[in-house]
Amino acid sequence: MLSSDAQNIYWMSRYLERAGHISRLLETQFDLIHDRPASDVELGWRRIYRSLDRTPSGAKLMPIQDDNFVMLLDAYTLVDDLAFEPGNPDAIIILLGKARENARQIRNILNHEIWSTLNVSFLDMKSKKLKDIWGGQPQDFFIASSVAVRTFCGIAEATMYRDHGWHFFKLGQYVERIQLTCALLDAHIALFPTNDHHWEIHWSDLLGICVARAAFRRLQSVECQPGKVLDFVIGDSRLTNSINYGLGEIQKRLEIISGSSDSGSKNTAAWHIGKTRALIEFDWPVHEKGDDTSIQNLLKQIRTGVLEIDNQINNTYFNYPIEYKSG
Amino acid sequence: MVKNHQIVSPGNPNDNENKESGLFSNYELDPLFYDEMFTPNGEPREHYRILWETLNSIPFEQIVQLQEQAERSFLQDGITFSVYGEEGAQERMIPIDFLPRLINRSEWAYLERGLTQRLQALNRFLTDIYGEARILTDGVIPPDLVYGCPHYRIEMAGVTLPHDVHVSICGSDLVRDNKGYMVLEDNLRTPSGVSYMLANRQAIRSSLRTLYRSYSVLSIGNYTNLLYQSLAEIAPTGVTDPCIVLLTPGVYNSAYYEHMFLAREMGVELVQGNDLLVHNGFVYMRTTQGLRRVDVIYRRLDDDFIDPLIFRTDSQLGVPGLFHAFRLGNVAIANAPGTGVADDKAVYYYVPDMIRYYLAEEPIIPNVETHLCREPEGLEYTLDNLDKLVVKQVGESGGYGMLVGPHASQAERDDFLRQIQAFPENYISQPTLDISRAPSMGENGTIPCHVDLRPFILQGSETRIVPGAFGRVALRPGSLVVNSSQGGGGKDIWVLEN
């Protein structure tokens, strides 16, 4: 497959995964806004902004440190920043637009169902403005964008031909998912330490964002103990949103793709995925209960490992150097 | 001079009592213009009768819904084009006119013969001028007209091509007046519009299922198969299963939808310049499995941009070394570089002479009467009749660089007059044509709009034409400009079996 097509599929998938993740963050945040005290709402905003490593453009002018801008900015401004702000490269509407641009470049290899689903969703979302939806049920917008991404992925799952394009689609999805999940867990642990059991409801929210609550309750417990939640979201091998599952998927896709690749550097990516998986296999769970620093370090190492895998995918399949030989 | 004419309005076959209530009740005929649907006395032409009766039996509101359904399908499918220089209009939907234009089989057979003849002569001309140049030494065409043409590529001199095919894909614009069809221009570089021909058909066929079934409309569905076949036939010698790619300038090109569409339908890779590289005189594309050799490039970017080592050095869109690989015969490029000289507006004047010279035949479809300002008598005639003529710059296309004398202001005419006097060789003039009209959907019923059609002629080891064309319609009332970039829309063309 053409390298640039593979790259477009990979990034389309990454942007969609990110749009879906931010939609779920905001969906959960609206639950907090409706049902929880102001202090919880504030913590929710901090979790979102820390995990995305972002400061809203308006807050950059404020004489404040860290993420205290959430105390000063109203929900309207923050939601607008995360969903519609043209200057935010990770605003939902911008992400959907980027995914559509990637898709536009490879429409010749996407089937009609996939393209039209994304195109229609984007055109629908693009026509909306926060001021128009704020007075009604603004969370519906985020539910809709989340559903749009899931629908797209479902149609892709059901209809995409299982060639390399499909595997690059899945690679992009899981590389992005693991990065986002690690960042979210890192931010969450910083705000809600694992040895403090006052925050159980927030750990339940975390499961919701990771689309893991129902499975957790069914398989683990109705009580959301931090250790068990982390174990589930990091180490479970059957939860599609867990880090362990994602790493396994990346390994599987890379094996399939590299199996028919002549590139000499293909083993580098495989080496990095093996190394990253070993972090969970051997270092998880951390031995000291409540040792949040170690957990955060582990998450950081996983993120670094996945970032390296991303680099290797790029260097091996998209932008590899050409060796010119004479004759 | 304003011609006097009588306005005739056709009636509703189901409503003899009240002729004002039909879809066509406010449609005005003008004997000045050939009407594709109605005879001068207001009767529907024989092959249009079913369409007329069917549409008159459908409530107007339902017809509006069908038109909207066709437009919606375009939007959902992302069938768009871009207009250069328009901010905020990167993607615009090409307007679609819901009413098809019908052409009967015998008329189409005539067009097919004429277009085949024309493309064969044009390919012979290109082989000749980049070879022995007999047509120039024999004095049929002035050599300076060819060698001075900005689209003449000296780099092509001496290049021989499989089957002598320089133009693999040609889009010729045809118009009709009361005397018959004429070729308005030939597009021999990167003609576009064929995807809209196919998309229009799909949309209109879905909207007018019953009507479509009532007619035996010849299928155009195999166009991309024929295109693939024609491209495969010009592959380098010895290549039996060629790797064909479509080279696009990218998503911001006005015809990107078409590039994507054709690549998808042919099952070939859609590549940009940075997907390709040249090594040891061969062209390769970068794939996830390493480099793969490319044999045929259907390029959709202009000569200037295909190879920065030979043509425009600042081109970011092309492939360095591509022309070298082409000259070596290791890759085919369709259309070949340098074909633009044959669709130059001044060279157009000589196409009937080319047909006589190379094929020893009389042209089947005539040219539009044309005056070359480079010739003293042509210049004098043009300057004396500027208010009656359409003046075109020879190097422009797409409806740009044009003066429509009767519709221009005195200041615009004066400005053009000065330009023509300064550079007469840059201009040609043609009479304002009484281009035929066909009914198009207006807000309150049908309105007569000027139409043309662009059939696509393919050349590989043989000439192939699908029975259809990209029909264009000037949707602005009274306008003669059908270009989609200037307010024109698409119109499905139904070539009828019987």
Short mmCIF file of all heavy atoms in Angstrom, two decimals, chain B residues 211-233:
data_model
loop_
_atom_site.label_atom_id
_atom_site.label_comp_id
_atom_site.label_asym_id
_atom_site.label_seq_id
_atom_site.Cartn_x
_atom_site.Cartn_y
_atom_site.Cartn_z
N LEU B 211 -38.80 7.20 -14.93
CA LEU B 211 -38.56 7.83 -16.22
C LEU B 211 -37.34 7.21 -16.90
O LEU B 211 -37.35 6.93 -18.10
CB LEU B 211 -38.33 9.33 -16.01
CG LEU B 211 -38.15 10.16 -17.27
CD1 LEU B 211 -39.41 10.16 -18.10
CD2 LEU B 211 -37.76 11.59 -16.92
N TYR B 212 -36.31 6.97 -16.10
CA TYR B 212 -35.08 6.39 -16.64
C TYR B 212 -35.37 5.02 -17.25
O TYR B 212 -34.86 4.68 -18.32
CB TYR B 212 -34.03 6.28 -15.53
CG TYR B 212 -32.67 5.85 -16.01
CD1 TYR B 212 -31.79 6.77 -16.58
CD2 TYR B 212 -32.26 4.52 -15.91
CE1 TYR B 212 -30.53 6.38 -17.04
CE2 TYR B 212 -31.00 4.13 -16.37
CZ TYR B 212 -30.15 5.06 -16.93
OH TYR B 212 -28.91 4.67 -17.38
N ARG B 213 -36.21 4.28 -16.54
CA ARG B 213 -36.55 2.93 -17.05
C ARG B 213 -37.40 3.02 -18.33
O ARG B 213 -37.36 2.13 -19.17
CB ARG B 213 -37.29 2.13 -15.98
CG ARG B 213 -36.36 1.44 -14.99
CD ARG B 213 -37.07 0.31 -14.29
NE ARG B 213 -38.19 0.78 -13.49
CZ ARG B 213 -38.10 1.16 -12.22
NH1 ARG B 213 -36.93 1.10 -11.61
NH2 ARG B 213 -39.14 1.58 -11.55
N SER B 214 -38.18 4.10 -18.45
CA SER B 214 -39.03 4.24 -19.63
C SER B 214 -38.21 4.44 -20.90
O SER B 214 -38.64 4.14 -22.00
CB SER B 214 -39.96 5.45 -19.48
OG SER B 214 -40.65 5.36 -18.28
N TYR B 215 -37.04 5.02 -20.73
CA TYR B 215 -36.16 5.22 -21.88
C TYR B 215 -35.11 4.11 -21.90
O TYR B 215 -34.72 3.61 -20.84
CB TYR B 215 -35.42 6.55 -21.75
CG TYR B 215 -36.24 7.76 -22.14
CD1 TYR B 215 -36.69 8.66 -21.18
CD2 TYR B 215 -36.53 8.00 -23.47
CE1 TYR B 215 -37.41 9.80 -21.53
CE2 TYR B 215 -37.26 9.14 -23.83
CZ TYR B 215 -37.70 10.02 -22.86
OH TYR B 215 -38.40 11.13 -23.23
N SER B 216 -34.62 3.78 -23.07
CA SER B 216 -33.46 2.88 -23.13
C SER B 216 -32.22 3.78 -23.22
O SER B 216 -31.80 4.16 -24.31
CB SER B 216 -33.52 2.00 -24.37
OG SER B 216 -34.63 1.16 -24.28
N VAL B 217 -31.70 4.13 -22.04
CA VAL B 217 -30.55 5.04 -22.01
C VAL B 217 -29.28 4.20 -22.10
O VAL B 217 -29.12 3.21 -21.37
CB VAL B 217 -30.54 5.86 -20.70
CG1 VAL B 217 -29.37 6.84 -20.70
CG2 VAL B 217 -31.86 6.59 -20.53
N LEU B 218 -28.40 4.58 -23.00
CA LEU B 218 -27.15 3.82 -23.14
C LEU B 218 -26.27 4.06 -21.92
O LEU B 218 -26.17 5.18 -21.41
CB LEU B 218 -26.41 4.26 -24.41
CG LEU B 218 -27.13 3.89 -25.72
CD1 LEU B 218 -26.35 4.43 -26.92
CD2 LEU B 218 -27.29 2.37 -25.85
N SER B 219 -25.63 2.99 -21.48
CA SER B 219 -24.87 3.06 -20.23
C SER B 219 -23.51 3.73 -20.43
O SER B 219 -22.86 3.57 -21.46
CB SER B 219 -24.66 1.64 -19.70
OG SER B 219 -23.75 1.68 -18.62
N ILE B 220 -23.13 4.48 -19.41
CA ILE B 220 -21.79 5.10 -19.43
C ILE B 220 -20.93 4.49 -18.32
O ILE B 220 -19.84 4.96 -18.03
CB ILE B 220 -21.88 6.63 -19.22
CG1 ILE B 220 -22.68 6.96 -17.94
CG2 ILE B 220 -22.48 7.29 -20.43
CD1 ILE B 220 -22.68 8.42 -17.59
N GLY B 221 -21.47 3.45 -17.70
CA GLY B 221 -20.84 2.88 -16.51
C GLY B 221 -19.47 2.27 -16.72
O GLY B 221 -18.72 2.08 -15.78
N ASN B 222 -19.13 1.97 -17.99
CA ASN B 222 -17.83 1.31 -18.21
C ASN B 222 -16.74 2.30 -18.57
O ASN B 222 -15.69 1.91 -19.06
CB ASN B 222 -17.96 0.22 -19.29
CG ASN B 222 -18.26 0.82 -20.65
OD1 ASN B 222 -18.76 1.94 -20.72
ND2 ASN B 222 -17.95 0.10 -21.71
N TYR B 223 -16.99 3.59 -18.34
CA TYR B 223 -15.98 4.59 -18.72
C TYR B 223 -14.62 4.29 -18.08
O TYR B 223 -13.58 4.31 -18.75
CB TYR B 223 -16.42 6.01 -18.33
CG TYR B 223 -15.31 7.01 -18.60
CD1 TYR B 223 -15.09 7.52 -19.88
CD2 TYR B 223 -14.43 7.41 -17.58
CE1 TYR B 223 -14.05 8.38 -20.14
CE2 TYR B 223 -13.38 8.27 -17.85
CZ TYR B 223 -13.20 8.75 -19.13
OH TYR B 223 -12.15 9.61 -19.38
N THR B 224 -14.62 4.02 -16.78
CA THR B 224 -13.33 3.85 -16.10
C THR B 224 -12.62 2.57 -16.58
O THR B 224 -11.40 2.53 -16.59
CB THR B 224 -13.48 3.87 -14.57
OG1 THR B 224 -14.57 3.02 -14.21
CG2 THR B 224 -13.74 5.26 -14.07
N ASN B 225 -13.39 1.55 -16.96
CA ASN B 225 -12.76 0.35 -17.53
C ASN B 225 -12.05 0.70 -18.83
O ASN B 225 -10.94 0.27 -19.09
CB ASN B 225 -13.81 -0.73 -17.85
CG ASN B 225 -14.46 -1.26 -16.59
OD1 ASN B 225 -14.27 -0.69 -15.52
ND2 ASN B 225 -15.22 -2.32 -16.72
N LEU B 226 -12.75 1.49 -19.66
CA LEU B 226 -12.16 1.87 -20.94
C LEU B 226 -10.95 2.78 -20.73
O LEU B 226 -9.96 2.69 -21.46
CB LEU B 226 -13.21 2.59 -21.80
CG LEU B 226 -14.42 1.76 -22.21
CD1 LEU B 226 -15.38 2.59 -23.07
CD2 LEU B 226 -14.00 0.50 -22.97
N LEU B 227 -11.03 3.63 -19.73
CA LEU B 227 -9.90 4.51 -19.42
C LEU B 227 -8.70 3.66 -19.01
O LEU B 227 -7.58 3.88 -19.49
CB LEU B 227 -10.28 5.49 -18.31
CG LEU B 227 -9.17 6.40 -17.79
CD1 LEU B 227 -8.61 7.29 -18.89
CD2 LEU B 227 -9.68 7.27 -16.63
N TYR B 228 -8.94 2.69 -18.13
CA TYR B 228 -7.86 1.82 -17.67
C TYR B 228 -7.24 1.09 -18.87
O TYR B 228 -6.02 1.02 -19.02
CB TYR B 228 -8.39 0.82 -16.65
CG TYR B 228 -7.30 -0.03 -16.03
CD1 TYR B 228 -6.68 0.34 -14.85
CD2 TYR B 228 -6.86 -1.19 -16.66
CE1 TYR B 228 -5.66 -0.41 -14.30
CE2 TYR B 228 -5.84 -1.96 -16.12
CZ TYR B 228 -5.25 -1.57 -14.94
OH TYR B 228 -4.23 -2.31 -14.40
N GLN B 229 -8.12 0.57 -19.71
CA GLN B 229 -7.66 -0.17 -20.89
C GLN B 229 -6.80 0.72 -21.79
O GLN B 229 -5.73 0.32 -22.25
CB GLN B 229 -8.89 -0.66 -21.65
CG GLN B 229 -8.66 -1.84 -22.54
CD GLN B 229 -9.98 -2.28 -23.18
OE1 GLN B 229 -11.07 -2.01 -22.66
NE2 GLN B 229 -9.87 -2.94 -24.31
N SER B 230 -7.27 1.94 -22.01
CA SER B 230 -6.53 2.86 -22.89
C SER B 230 -5.18 3.20 -22.28
O SER B 230 -4.18 3.30 -23.01
CB SER B 230 -7.35 4.14 -23.10
OG SER B 230 -8.59 3.83 -23.67
N LEU B 231 -5.14 3.39 -20.97
CA LEU B 231 -3.86 3.71 -20.32
C LEU B 231 -2.92 2.51 -20.36
O LEU B 231 -1.72 2.66 -20.60
CB LEU B 231 -4.11 4.14 -18.86
CG LEU B 231 -4.85 5.47 -18.67
CD1 LEU B 231 -5.22 5.67 -17.21
CD2 LEU B 231 -3.99 6.64 -19.15
N ALA B 232 -3.48 1.32 -20.15
CA ALA B 232 -2.63 0.12 -20.16
C ALA B 232 -2.00 -0.07 -21.54
O ALA B 232 -0.88 -0.56 -21.66
CB ALA B 232 -3.46 -1.10 -19.78
N GLU B 233 -2.72 0.34 -22.58
CA GLU B 233 -2.23 0.13 -23.94
C GLU B 233 -1.06 1.05 -24.31
O GLU B 233 -0.38 0.82 -25.30
CB GLU B 233 -3.38 0.31 -24.94
CG GLU B 233 -4.32 -0.88 -24.94
CD GLU B 233 -5.63 -0.60 -25.67
OE1 GLU B 233 -5.82 0.51 -26.18
OE2 GLU B 233 -6.47 -1.52 -25.69
#
